[in-house]
Amino acid sequence: MADAEYQDFSNGSRRKLALVIGNSNYALERSLPNTINDAKQMTIVLRSLGFSIHDDEPKLDLTYREFFMTLMSFVCSINQNDLVLFYFSGHGTQWENENYLIPVDNFKEENKQRVELDGTDLKRHAINAQQFLNNIDDRNPFAIVFFLDCCRTYYLKQERLLKSLKSCSLDQLHGLKSMPPKIGSLIAFACAPGTTADDGNNREKNGLFTKHLLKHLSTTKEDVLGILMNVTEGVIQESKKQQIPHVTFVLTEKIFLCNQNQSNGYFIARIRFNKWTQDGVTIAGGNGRGETLNQLNRPHGVCIDKNNDTLIADWGNDRIMKWKPNGKQGEICIDRIGNLADQLTWPRDVIVDEQNGSLIIGDWGNRRVIQWWNHDLYEVLVDNISCSRLTMDKYGFLYISDWEKHEVRRWKMGERQGKLVAGGHGQENRLNQFDCPTFIFVDDEQSVYVSDRDNHRVMKWRKGAREGAVIAGGKGGGSHLSQLNSPQGIFVDKFGQTYVADTGNHRIMCWREGTLQGEIIVGGKGIGNRSNQLNSPIDLSFDDDGNLYVADLGNDRVQKFSLI
């Protein structure tokens, strides 16, 4: 996501400074696939929390000289009573009880050739993390927070390393060592001393520690220790206990990275999400209601596949359509299953199962859910169900919202009995109930987010919870920024921000968990068919570049709003 505009409405807030560095493209060591993205996204989150970012941008791929000069400049900018935060993602290692952060020019010159560093070279070619902490402490800040996601496997020159094996244990040769904190400081490591961290993968786009840090960092009711407890729990669970974050601290009071309103404990701030073009471009339909290949009839669901093709549940035409980027018309992907007599009827949703190369369709009129590869290869996964909407989690479990039973169930592929994960206690507005649940989203912790349409709210059910929490709306149907009107499509990003198709208000909203109202990101300019208007938007989706796609039901089209 792009940078947000921050407005602080709290009183007596101190200055908050942050330095963010991400090193990826190392000269003599494997490149790290996610550190640049880690640093960029960390900058976005910290800026949204009111931090001033040093030099107004993340520092990327720094050489030793650039690294050293950046640290000097940052230290000189610190004033007494500042809240100071340092984030580094890259290679790091320990030598002789000191931790070193590695610049991208990790070599020395010998006989006009680049030679890898040994331990004794680190004092002249790498950054001593403890010394940097000491230099910050000399400026008498209010508090210091270090986030070090740099415990990847890093190899020093083998000849010197082998000589040290007789006097070193294994945990002295890998990762970082614990660092003694200063009074009023906290140091969070991606993993325990002497171990190495998971850098994630190209699909995830973040290292494991930073992935969970980004998710929890803007938690409004937690101090930094509470945030790190949640991060630790997430990392341990996802790594199956292979990676355990490590925290050292000497704090005399709670440190909140968000500004706090002391009267109610909530973060009082407004994040303005002016990030998408306000004039949408029609990428499917928009040629009136009809059944020709350049038309749609009340599209109910939209998703973007890995090729940036747009898949649409064309509800009124009983078909699934595929539109390629810049296509003038679509192609019928599915309108029947097997023989001609077995037609789709009012399909409400379609998702892509990339792992199995199939589509999964909520065939609402036929009361079934279908997995489809081609006209001759398909399977009815669930039958006799009023499937409102569906989604999958990263583990391959299928989630289905049931319009009639007012519940959401999780299904293991191939099994006929689903497990109740939300609702199922009748049609009402208590926290364990729904009134016509529609769209659903599942995050990496298997928390389930549900658009509770006729209760005009979005609910979050943590895994195993007996009731949900209202994270958007819930104040009756209306058009105020604290209200929703028949919400439907939803998406939750890794920062915990919930995007909602506010159907009855003809707008797309974004809500930060814990805030009392949302922000309009597109639409909201009255019902209509102009490029900056929507008419009963029912679903939304994002591509890998952050562009927003909206199924504009009343206008029989899909609109694309580009990320600015």
Side-chain angles (χ1 to χ4, degrees):
M1 292 175 59
D3 295 344
E5 175 189 343
Y6 177 88
Q7 295 184 8
D8 185 1
F9 292 95
S10 63
N11 294 319
S13 60
R14 58 177 45 84
R15 196 170 71 137
K16 299 188 288 188
L17 301 180
L19 173 61
V20 179
I21 298 176
N23 279 356
S24 171
N25 297 306
Y26 284 86
L28 296 184
E29 183 64 37
R30 68 179 181 91
S31 294
L32 299 173
N34 298 318
T35 52
I36 296 296
N37 198 52
D38 288 343
K40 289 180 178 179
Q41 293 188 0
M42 183 61 64
T43 298
I44 293 169
V45 171
L46 291 177
R47 185 173 285 134
S48 76
L49 297 178
F51 278 84
S52 296
I53 307 300
H54 186 63
D55 285 347
D56 203 37
E57 63 181 359
K59 296 295 187 178
L60 307 176
D61 283 340
L62 298 185
T63 64
Y64 174 72
R65 177 174 175 77
E66 292 168 339
F67 210 147
F68 181 78
M69 296 302 293
T70 296
L71 299 189
M72 287 185 59
S73 174
F74 180 64
V75 169
C76 290
S77 72
I78 298 170
N79 295 329
Q80 185 174 350
N81 207 38
D82 286 344
L83 172 57
V84 178
L85 187 148
F86 172 60
Y87 172 85
F88 176 70
S89 182
H91 277 305
T93 193
Q94 58 173 297
W95 183 261
E96 296 181 343
N97 293 319
E98 297 286 350
N99 288 326
Y100 292 91
L101 311 181
I102 309 299
V104 294
D105 56 339
N106 56 332
F107 59 85
K108 60 183 178 181
E109 296 280 351
E110 287 186 359
N111 300 321
K112 297 182 179 181
Q113 292 185 340
R114 292 181 175 183
V115 178
E116 61 187 349
L117 304 176
D118 61 40
T120 59
D121 297 317
L122 294 176
K123 292 182 180 180
R124 300 183 305 276
H125 296 276
I127 301 299
N128 186 311
Q130 185 70 51
Q131 185 60 53
F132 179 46
L133 175 64
N134 295 343
N135 292 341
I136 294 177
D137 186 63
D138 289 343
R139 305 291 291 187
N140 296 315
F142 164 70
I144 306 169
V145 177
F146 271 31
F147 293 134
L148 300 179
D149 192 358
C150 53
C151 305
R152 282 87 172 176
T153 302
Y154 184 82
Y155 296 102
L156 295 170
K157 192 174 181 179
Q158 289 298 306
E159 289 85 348
R160 294 291 183 91
L161 188 60
L162 290 172
K163 290 180 181 179
S164 69
L165 284 173
K166 294 182 180 180
S167 59
C168 294
S169 63
L170 184 61
D171 66 357
Q172 292 176 296
L173 300 175
H174 295 289
L176 301 181
K177 66 179 292 291
S178 186
M179 287 170 55
K182 297 290 186 177
I183 296 175
S185 71
L186 176 147
I187 308 166
F189 300 87
C191 57
T195 64
T196 55
D198 182 356
D199 191 45
N201 54 58
N202 290 322
R203 182 177 61 84
E204 289 274 356
K205 296 186 178 180
N206 290 111
L208 182 59
F209 174 73
T210 295
K211 169 186 171 181
H212 288 274
L213 186 59
L214 289 168
K215 178 177 180 180
H216 294 289
L217 196 56
S218 57
T219 301
T220 60
K221 301 178 186 178
E222 299 279 6
D223 68 338
V224 68
L225 286 175
I227 290 171
L228 288 169
M229 287 179 63
N230 292 331
V231 171
T232 299
E233 180 183 10
V235 171
I236 290 173
Q237 180 178 350
E238 185 166 345
S239 69
K240 298 180 179 179
K241 300 182 181 180
Q242 296 302 302
Q243 180 175 336
I244 303 174
H246 177 70
V247 181
T248 63
F249 63 92
V250 178
L251 298 177
T252 58
E253 59 184 284
K254 290 186 176 182
I255 304 299
F256 290 90
L257 302 183
C258 297
N259 294 43
Q260 300 293 303
N261 181 313
Q262 299 301 327
S263 63
N264 60 18
Y266 279 88
F267 178 44
I268 306 301
R270 291 171 62 87
I271 304 295
R272 299 194 181 278
F273 291 92
N274 301 319
K275 302 184 185 72
W276 287 269
T277 54
Q278 295 302 294
D279 290 298
V281 176
T282 301
I283 56 110
N287 296 300
R289 182 169 296 172
E291 61 182 16
T292 63
L293 292 180
N294 68 344
Q295 293 179 305
L296 297 170
N297 186 344
R298 287 165 288 183
H300 270 54
V302 60
C303 70
I304 311 300
D305 69 12
K306 63 182 180 181
N307 299 316
N308 267 0
D309 294 335
T310 304
L311 292 159
I312 304 163
D314 191 9
W315 183 83
N317 285 322
D318 303 318
R319 64 190 185 186
I320 304 298
M321 296 288 288
K322 178 190 286 188
W323 290 65
K324 294 189 175 297
N326 304 314
K328 299 299 182 182
Q329 64 181 31
E331 60 182 84
I332 298 175
C333 192
I334 313 168
D335 62 352
R336 63 181 176 85
I337 303 297
N339 58 63
L340 289 172
D342 198 0
Q343 300 282 335
L344 292 180
T345 303
W346 299 332
R348 281 194 163 175
D349 207 1
V350 57
I351 61 174
V352 180
D353 181 0
E354 300 281 9
Q355 183 175 354
N356 292 303
S358 66
L359 300 180
I360 300 177
I361 304 154
D363 189 10
W364 184 72
N366 288 317
R367 299 182 61 82
R368 62 187 180 179
V369 175
I370 300 164
Q371 186 170 24
W372 183 92
W373 287 270
N374 57 54
H375 287 297
D376 299 314
L377 183 59
Y378 67 94
E379 178 183 2
V380 177
L381 298 176
V382 184
D383 57 9
N384 194 28
I385 185 171
S386 179
C387 173
S388 180
R389 299 298 187 275
L390 45 85
T391 192
M392 292 185 73
D393 67 18
K394 70 176 186 178
Y395 303 105
F397 288 101
L398 180 66
Y399 297 73
I400 303 173
S401 60
D402 191 313
W403 179 281
E404 294 177 351
K405 294 182 180 179
H406 308 282
E407 66 182 23
V408 178
R409 287 185 177 268
R410 182 178 70 221
W411 303 75
K412 185 176 181 180
M413 301 294 276
E415 293 186 354
R416 294 297 178 181
Q417 184 63 42
K419 178 181 179 180
L420 182 69
V421 294
H425 297 280
Q427 181 182 7
E428 253 300 338
N429 63 0
R430 294 197 298 271
L431 292 179
N432 66 345
Q433 295 178 306
F434 295 123
D435 189 351
C436 297
T438 57
F439 287 85
I440 46 181
F441 181 90
V442 181
D443 66 18
D444 287 345
E445 277 69 49
Q446 293 183 304
S447 293
V448 180
Y449 301 76
V450 185
S451 277
D452 190 8
R453 193 194 71 173
D454 290 355
N455 281 324
H456 310 290
R457 65 189 184 183
V458 176
M459 303 284 288
K460 177 181 179 180
W461 291 63
R462 295 187 183 276
K463 184 179 180 181
R466 295 186 178 181
E467 63 180 31
V470 178
I471 61 169
K475 299 182 181 299
S479 60
H480 188 269
L481 292 178
S482 64
Q483 295 177 300
L484 296 170
N485 188 349
S486 301
Q488 301 229 44
I490 54 174
F491 178 86
V492 182
D493 68 19
K494 62 180 61 184
F495 307 126
Q497 297 169 147
T498 303
Y499 299 83
V500 186
D502 190 7
T503 304
N505 288 318
H506 316 291
R507 65 192 184 187
I508 307 299
M509 301 281 288
C510 182
W511 292 66
R512 287 167 54 88
E513 188 171 2
T515 55
L516 303 179
Q517 62 185 30
E519 294 282 341
I520 301 171
I521 60 172
V522 297
K525 297 175 174 61
I527 184 172
N529 61 6
R530 296 198 302 271
S531 60
N532 65 348
Q533 292 180 305
L534 298 169
N535 183 351
S536 302
I538 194 170
D539 193 14
L540 55 84
S541 186
F542 292 88
D543 64 22
D544 289 341
D545 295 322
N547 301 309
L548 170 65
Y549 298 77
V550 179
D552 192 10
L553 181 143
N555 287 320
D556 302 294
R557 66 186 182 183
V558 174
Q559 294 288 92
K560 176 182 177 180
F561 298 88
S562 296
L563 182 67
I564 298 175

